[in-house]
Amino acid sequence: MRVHQDAAVARLKAVAVTDRVYAPNAVPVSPVTPYYVLTCDTGAAGAYRTGGRTTTQRFTVAVQCMGKTYGEATDGLERTDAAFEAYTLTVPGFDCTIARRQVAASPYRDPDGGSLLVGLHAYAFMSSPA
């Protein structure tokens, strides 16, 4: 999972042209906006083989785009789509399928973020050892 998370962070930083991509527990006290909070889940079993084994994992990359204005938040969502939608993530040692957006949300006021707006996009892809 860690290599998938690292690959997703590198991809978003490259496309969004920013170093403001954080893990949920690593957002600075007073971050510069817009910024992104990215997580990659631990993976779930994909197609099972006879005998109940699988080597394929389904992963989801979730990105929260945070901004002070609606424009900052929506720009972040557009950059997130450019990074992941219909893109094959490059993960060392793994073959990945094209990512597809699974969740999309209009920016809304973050109840924990004071006056910040947040939008969430999530992208699913399959991964198997190369």
Side-chain angles (χ1 to χ4, degrees):
M1 174 200 82
R2 183 62 189 198
V3 293
H4 293 84
Q5 169 90 16
D6 292 346
V9 167
R11 173 70 181 165
L12 184 56
K13 283 183 175 182
V15 173
V17 192
T18 184
D19 60 352
R20 295 187 303 258
V21 179
Y22 305 107
N25 62 346
V27 178
V29 175
S30 297
V32 175
T33 61
Y35 68 91
Y36 306 84
V37 179
L38 185 147
T39 59
C40 182
D41 66 17
T42 58
Y48 287 97
R49 296 178 183 201
T50 305
R53 298 190 60 180
T54 182
T55 56
T56 303
Q57 296 284 309
R58 182 179 188 273
F59 287 91
T60 301
V61 171
V63 183
Q64 292 176 300
C65 303
M66 312 293 281
K68 288 182 182 174
T69 66
Y70 185 81
E72 281 186 351
T74 55
D75 181 62
L77 292 171
E78 290 173 357
R79 290 172 187 262
T80 300
D81 264 348
F84 297 112
E85 179 66 23
Y87 178 78
T88 303
L89 198 60
T90 303
V91 181
F94 292 88
D95 290 326
C96 297
T97 62
I98 294 172
R100 297 285 183 225
R101 185 167 12 121
Q102 300 296 306
V103 175
S106 298
Y108 60 93
R109 190 78 48 204
D110 181 4
D112 298 325
S115 63
L116 293 178
L117 292 163
V118 60
L120 170 73
H121 279 181
Y123 305 88
F125 64 94
M126 300 293 283
S127 177
S128 58

